[in-house]
Each structure stands twice: as C-alpha cells, then as structure tokens.
Amino acid sequence: MVKNYTDLLKCDQECLWHPYTSMTTPLPSYLVEDADGVYLHLATGEKIIDGMSSWWSVVHGYNNAFINDAMKAQIDKFSHVMFGGLTHEPAVKLANTLIDITPVGLDKVFLADSGSVAVEVSIKMALQYQHSLGKADKNKLLTIKNGYHGDTFAAMSVCDPVNGMHSLFSGFISENYFADAPSIGFDDDWVDSAANSAIKSLKQQFKDNHQHIAALILEPIVQGAGGMRFYHPQYLRACRALCDQYEILLIADEIATGFGRSGKLFACEHANISPDILCLGKALTGGYLSLAATLCTTKVATTISKGEAGVFMHGPTFMGNPLACATANASLELLFKNDWQAQVRAIEQQLKTELLPIKQHKNIADVRVLGAIAVIEAKYKVNMAIIQQKFVEMGVWIRPFGKLIYIMPPFVISTAELKTLTQALANIVDCDEVFNKI
Ligand code: PMP
C-alpha cells in the first residue's frame, strides 16, 4: 500500500513507464498534488509555473471553473455512449464549431481519441480517397524532414527518419518519401535564390514520385517536436500549389499549432491556404481530456464514400466521447470569450522583448519566437536531470529536449508570471553545468 510521496515516487519508478524513459535508469519525476491557473503544486511544497501548458494543451490553465462546470454537467447526464448508431448534442455542437472556425472547405469531422490517432485517420482517409479514385498505386506519403506526427506506426512513418529512429523498426515501419526540411525561416526574405533552394528537394520528390504519393503531410509553419523551427508561409503556399498540380492531397497536422498558439487561430492562416485534411488535438479540450479531430473536405468524404468500401474504415470505441466533446465545447467558448488573439499577441510581445537579447549569449545558437511559443536553441545538449531540478528551484516547469529549451505557456498567464518564466530562461543559459559541452 502506497503511503506518502516518497513511496509514491518509488512505486512510480518501479512500475510506470513515462514518455521516452528508461525503466532501468529513469529520469526523476516530480509528484503533482494539485494544479490551478498556471501553477502546478508539487508534493514537496513548491508551487511552479507551467511553461509547457502540459505539452501545448492547457491553454486556459488548470482547474478552470468554467470548464470544470461544463464537465460536471455532462458527467451528470452521461459520460460516454458508443458512437455507432448513436449521437449526442456535444458531438454535433463541436463538429459545427470546428467547421465554422477552421480554414474554408473543411466540412466533415471525424472525432478521434488522441493526436496520433487523428494522424492515423488522416492517412487512412488519403489512402482510401486515392483507392476510391482507382489510384491504388498512390499508397505512399510525402513529408518533410524534421517533422513529428505522433508515436503510432503510420504516424511514426512520417516523423523524421533520424529523430524518429526508423532504423529501430525497419522491416515493419512503412517507407515513405522525405523532402529536405524547409530551410527558409518565418521572417526570412522570400527571394528567388533562397526560395529555390528551400523548395528544390520538395519539387524533385513531387516530380519523381507523384504516381505513388497519396498525400503530402506536414506541420504547417511550426515544426514542433522535430526541432521547433518556424518556416516561411510562402513555402506552405508552394506546397499547396504542388499538391494541386500533381493531384495529391495536403494533410495539415495542426495538433500542436491549432487554436491560436502560433498567433493565428490555425497556422495555415499564415499562408492563407486550406488543406484537404486537417488534424487537431491537444488544446482542443483545453488540455482537460484526450480528444482529437480529423476534418476533411466534402470532396474527400464523398469520394471515400463512393469507393469500394462504401464507408470510411475507422471507428474507435471512445469515438466522439460526450464528456470530451462537452469539454472541448467549453474550452472553445472560453477561447473566444477570453480574446485569445489579444492574449497571444501580448505573450508574443513580451517573449520577444525579454528573450531575443539572449541570442547573443555564448552558450546559445538561436532564439525564436512566434505567437505564444519561444525557443532557445543552445549550442550544446542539456543535461535533463540537472536542468529540470534547477528550473523547479527557480519556480518554473520547463522541459527541454536535446539542445532545445522552449516554452509555450498557458494563454491566461499574467505579465508577472511570464516574467518569472523568461527570467528563469535568462538565468539558465548562464549555468554552464546544465550543458553537456563535451
Ligand atoms: N502531431 C503533432 C504535430 C504533435 O505535436 C503531436 C504530439 N506532440 C502529435 C501529432 C501526437 O499527438 P498525441 O501525443 O496526442 O498522440
């Protein structure tokens, strides 16, 4: 029987897998007892500011009364019913809202249970679409290097082959086509020479392999877990144009960027394009429950429905979970009530003012800010155990990976709370001991 927090942590280490963690030499975990607003309350007594929004999701902060009330109201009605043959108001309302707010043309909604599953669904849609058109040979995907789309197998097959360790799963993981990552940054000049080199490899892939490509899948504007890079909107426009030219579907994975994070409600809006298929997740429920959605055009949906199967071949047990849908409806209502645009604009301004000067630091290679995302790219990999402990001592929760120390705070963060986060970042770059310099 587990008694206190040291017992809990011991038991945790002995029997629980954590994300990307060894079972024999696990990194330490911190025990959360409570959370509210932007604060995590640790069992050891510290109250720390969450700079990660629990991996892009908790945009309204923890324990929000409006979302809690909506969840309780739904629990008191029903938490779950199967979606086969049954439907309910929370799902219908959510589908309507998503169709209204997402880029034009995305009219059909598939509700999935997590981001990775939404990506699986998008890939399956693309393959069934091409199959229905009699193009069964178009059964591969094109993507760009440094991408990240989730941890299930089809999603992994379009993650960066090196970062995603494809070699570990060779023989099982599907082989797809990879163009070079866009080399042109969000604010760079889109001059011909730079544009040509950024787009060259992509054009070549389309030219050489279009007969076999069902869809181009990418994260619009922000390449997240694969490197935290922001690329030029014109590149995304070029992707759209190439997809149209070669009759290949465009899948936009906005699981991380969706719902305001990049400064636009959806990152596709930076380039003023609509994808054929769109994946959403993470902040969809304000980070309260796992829910994701894959939207597609009427053309994709009707083509699939007229194909050999006559149906779309997917239907998970918890599809359209009413509690998760009601939570998403409350979170989306709050997003607009809170004026997300003003919140994100203020965060972006403060991040730029307080963090861009760090670019000159001897340990730092680059600092990038877009919307409510700030990335400090160090010259060296960080020592996770040391840096994590130092951040906790400074009263913040920031979880770097590799050379990347980054934050994407909840939209409700105050100026003073955000200052605590940026100050912690400014302090950490001075700590030589957090960097593995050899
Ligand atoms: N796509 C992107 C762009 C992501 O950032 C993530 C999660 N980090 C996923 C897909 C997978 O989502 P989930 O972790 O909910 O399966």
Side-chain angles (χ1 to χ4, degrees):
M1 180 65 190
V2 178
K3 290 184 216 82
N4 56 37
Y5 84 85
T6 40
D7 289 341
L8 276 170
L9 285 177
K10 187 165 171 287
C11 181
D12 176 278
Q13 284 221 335
E14 279 168 10
C15 60
L16 266 176
W17 290 104
H18 281 260
Y20 295 98
T21 296
S22 159
M23 216 61 220
T24 50
T25 51
L27 285 167
S29 290
Y30 295 82
L31 188 65
V32 176
E33 267 190 346
D34 213 336
D36 72 281
V38 300
Y39 290 95
L40 303 173
H41 303 237
L42 302 184
T44 36
E46 294 94 338
K47 209 177 138 191
I48 56 178
I49 298 175
D50 180 11
M52 310 303 291
S53 299
S54 275
W55 280 336
W56 313 80
S57 64
V58 184
V59 287
H60 307 301
Y62 298 93
N63 217 346
N64 177 281
F66 183 75
I67 299 179
N68 285 358
D69 287 347
M71 293 176 81
K72 286 174 196 160
Q74 185 59 42
I75 288 172
D76 285 340
K77 290 185 192 156
F78 55 103
S79 293
H80 184 61
V81 288
M82 61 186 278
F83 212 50
L86 299 173
T87 193
H88 45 82
E89 189 181 344
V92 176
K93 192 172 165 197
L94 179 59
N96 273 320
T97 307
L98 292 177
I99 290 165
D100 277 354
I101 65 174
T102 51
V104 66
L106 297 160
D107 302 324
K108 311 289 175 197
V109 182
F110 188 100
L111 295 168
D113 13 19
S114 73
S116 300
V117 174
V119 169
E120 297 286 324
V121 164
S122 74
I123 292 171
K124 210 185 253 189
M125 277 181 182
L127 296 176
Q128 260 197 259
Y129 171 84
Q130 300 294 1
H131 192 278
S132 301
L133 290 175
K135 297 178 183 171
D137 283 349
K138 278 180 168 278
N139 57 9
K140 299 250 172 235
L141 299 158
L142 171 61
T143 187
I144 50 183
K145 289 180 187 165
N146 290 352
Y148 178 78
H149 297 282
D151 290 348
T152 51
F153 271 96
M156 275 200 307
S157 76
V158 284
C159 291
D160 185 87
V162 178
N163 298 338
M165 297 203 74
H166 284 199
S167 57
L168 199 60
F169 307 102
S170 69
F172 190 79
I173 198 164
S174 305
E175 287 180 17
N176 289 306
Y177 299 112
F178 291 86
D180 290 345
S183 52
I184 189 157
F186 186 83
D187 292 318
D188 290 349
D189 287 336
W190 184 262
V191 290
D192 277 353
S193 55
N196 286 342
S197 73
I199 216 85
K200 199 170 146 207
S201 151
L202 187 74
K203 279 190 173 158
Q204 198 62 46
Q205 286 290 346
F206 271 96
K207 197 161 165 246
D208 294 347
N209 301 313
H210 65 94
Q211 298 96 328
H212 305 295
I213 298 172
L216 166 63
I217 178 167
L218 45 72
E219 296 153 279
I221 306 298
V222 178
Q223 288 197 289
M228 297 298 293
R229 300 193 163 278
F230 313 141
Y231 64 84
H232 202 290
Q234 192 66 31
Y235 181 91
L236 186 55
R237 248 171 259 146
C239 291
R240 178 68 274 181
L242 283 163
C243 284
D244 290 342
Q245 183 187 336
Y246 286 98
E247 296 183 352
I248 284 168
L249 296 175
L250 177 62
I251 303 174
D253 176 350
E254 293 235 22
I255 287 162
T257 48
F259 309 107
R261 181 57 68 182
S262 75
K264 300 280 184 188
L265 194 53
F266 298 97
C268 283
E269 293 171 23
H270 287 287
N272 225 347
I273 60 120
S274 285
D276 302 291
I277 302 176
L278 174 72
C279 304
L280 301 172
K282 288 189 183 281
L284 175 59
T285 60
Y288 281 64
L289 284 175
S290 181
L291 180 70
T294 307
L295 281 81
C296 70
T297 60
T298 299
K299 185 175 172 200
V300 168
T302 49
T303 305
I304 289 171
S305 307
K306 286 179 187 159
E308 181 187 319
V311 295
F312 180 54
M313 293 294 290
H314 210 92
T317 305
F318 289 101
M319 182 169 176
N321 174 263
L323 182 54
C325 290
T327 311
N329 287 328
S331 175
L332 290 173
E333 198 179 326
L334 206 53
L335 194 70
F336 293 101
K337 226 191 248 175
N338 281 354
D339 192 356
W340 65 269
Q341 225 159 356
Q343 290 175 320
V344 172
R345 211 179 299 125
I347 293 171
E348 180 175 46
Q349 200 48 57
Q350 191 178 345
L351 290 174
K352 283 186 171 165
T353 308
E354 292 169 7
L355 292 178
L356 289 183
I358 295 176
K359 219 184 245 196
Q360 317 307 331
H361 195 281
K362 66 175 179 8
N363 291 331
I364 298 309
D366 192 23
V367 178
R368 308 183 274 275
V369 172
L370 182 70
I373 313 166
V375 185
I376 296 180
E377 185 170 337
K379 288 184 184 156
Y380 320 97
K381 282 192 175 171
V382 301
N383 179 311
M384 275 295 280
I386 298 179
I387 201 169
Q388 199 86 88
Q389 190 184 341
K390 281 202 173 288
F391 276 136
V392 170
E393 283 163 12
M394 292 181 207
V396 298
W397 181 247
I398 298 173
R399 189 162 174 87
F401 66 87
K403 296 176 179 175
L404 300 169
I405 311 168
Y406 62 105
I407 56 171
M408 52 284 204
F411 295 172
V412 294
I413 196 162
S414 71
T415 310
E417 289 158 347
L418 188 54
K419 177 82 190 166
T420 305
L421 283 175
T422 60
Q423 193 57 55
L425 290 167
N427 292 344
I428 212 76
V429 302
D430 279 334
C431 297
D432 283 326
E433 67 269 34
V434 306
F435 298 109
N436 293 325
K437 293 199 177 185
I438 36 160

